[in-house]
């Protein structure tokens, strides 16, 4: 079945080297010392004609906060995956965030620490638009990483 292969590819991509997730001159987004034990995937659907703007919004806002989460040890990685075909699907992009504990966002202290990061963040709109105008969150999948195939 195609879905398990897709999910495996997404999990593997979310634990990929930091070069995928961080600016070339910025801090790495995946510590070689911290193993990813949980990945949360968030599927988003772009508003018509707004996929590129939605991606830019995620990079400027979500990933700005995720970088801080990595610095604080809340996350191990983050990645953005874009649907590469033109098939009909209810999603356009996936944001995958890796965690150093199997409990992910539900681990003690993670939600509160991220709430503080979010409160300190100032939204950067893209073309004057926020998330509500650029797209919608379709669903989340919390996943436990079983084997990373090193």
């Amino acid at each position: 079945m195609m879905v398990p292969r897709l999910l495996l590819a997404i999990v593997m991509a979310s634990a990929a080297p930091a070069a995928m997730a961080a600016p070339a001159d910025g801090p790495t987004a995946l510590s070689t010392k911290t193993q990813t034990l949980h990945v949360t995937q968030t599927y988003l659907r772009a508003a018509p004609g707004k996929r590129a703007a939605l991606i830019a919004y995620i990079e400027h806002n979500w990933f700005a906060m995720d970088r801080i989460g990595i610095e604080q040890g809340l996350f191990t990685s983050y990645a953005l995956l874009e649907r590469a075909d033109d098939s009909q699907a209810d999603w356009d992009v996936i944001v995958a965030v890796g965690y150093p504990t199997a409990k992910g966002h539900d681990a003690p202290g993670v939600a509160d620490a991220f709430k503080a990061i979010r409160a300190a963040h100032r939204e950067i709109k893209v073309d004057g638009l926020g998330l509500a105008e650029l797209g919608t969150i379709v669903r989340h999948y919390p996943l436990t990483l079983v084997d990373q195939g090193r």
Side-chain angles (χ1 to χ4, degrees):
M1 183 176 209
M2 191 59 126
V3 173
R5 280 190 181 155
L6 175 62
L7 291 177
L8 177 61
I10 292 166
V11 169
M12 296 306 294
S14 68
M20 286 179 44
D25 59 345
T28 61
L30 179 66
S31 170
T32 57
K33 297 177 185 177
T34 305
Q35 182 179 7
T36 298
L37 299 177
H38 175 99
V39 175
T40 295
Q41 298 172 342
T42 302
Y43 288 66
L44 297 101
R45 175 79 173 167
K50 300 294 183 192
R51 186 186 291 194
L54 175 61
I55 289 170
Y57 182 90
I58 290 166
E59 291 171 336
H60 292 310
N61 292 282
W62 290 19
F63 288 172
M65 293 183 284
D66 290 350
R67 279 189 289 279
I68 296 167
I70 286 173
E71 290 170 7
Q72 293 182 8
L74 304 175
F75 310 141
T76 58
S77 64
Y78 56 89
L80 178 65
L81 300 105
E82 180 178 12
R83 191 165 45 86
D85 62 17
D86 60 356
S87 64
Q88 295 298 314
D90 67 346
W91 62 275
D92 294 304
V93 296
I94 301 169
V95 174
V97 177
Y99 294 85
T101 170
K103 291 187 177 188
H105 194 75
D106 294 332
V110 173
D112 289 339
F114 194 70
K115 188 182 292 184
I117 293 168
R118 182 177 286 141
H121 177 73
R122 298 297 168 242
E123 180 185 37
I124 297 172
K125 294 190 175 194
V126 175
D127 300 330
L129 303 173
L131 180 61
E133 296 85 19
L134 296 173
T136 56
I137 296 173
V138 176
R139 64 185 159 274
H140 297 279
Y141 286 115
L143 303 166
T144 301
L145 190 62
V146 176
D147 185 350
Q148 197 164 337
R150 291 181 192 220

